[in-house]
Amino acid sequence: MIAKKLAEIAGVNISKAIRILDRMVRGDREGRILGWLDSAKTILAKAMSKDVDARRCAEALIDYLGRRGYVEFGQLLK
């Protein structure tokens, strides 16, 4: 539910949304990310189209996700 709400507010404050998502993803040790992949993709896609700082954070998180096996996020880098 948190990720869904983050996806909603990402249009208003993408920097905050991407930082929170980053902490959620990196703190996930139990595979909970599977329940909010769509929301994560929405937030990351918005971040990729925003300012340089948001884009850098998104790229780093996409790289991390890819290393964890979520390679489908790599599509957002194009």
Side-chain angles (χ1 to χ4, degrees):
M1 230 164 131
I2 294 170
K4 187 180 264 189
K5 188 66 174 174
L6 274 178
E8 292 174 12
I9 67 162
V12 177
N13 193 337
I14 191 61
S15 295
K16 185 177 263 187
I18 195 71
R19 283 194 314 267
I20 293 169
L21 179 65
D22 185 79
R23 289 182 186 138
M24 288 172 59
V25 168
R26 292 178 192 270
D28 177 35
R29 302 286 183 242
E30 299 170 3
R32 286 183 236 145
I33 189 172
L34 290 173
W36 33 274
L37 287 175
D38 290 336
S39 295
K41 285 179 187 172
T42 299
I43 295 165
L44 289 166
K46 287 179 182 179
M48 291 298 290
S49 67
K50 296 294 181 182
D51 62 72
V52 175
D53 290 332
R55 185 178 178 88
R56 282 188 194 141
C57 290
E59 289 171 346
L61 186 52
I62 290 167
D63 177 65
Y64 178 79
L65 286 162
R67 292 173 192 269
R68 285 191 57 196
Y70 300 100
V71 295
E72 65 272 13
F73 285 94
Q75 296 171 355
L76 297 173
L77 295 172
K78 298 177 182 177

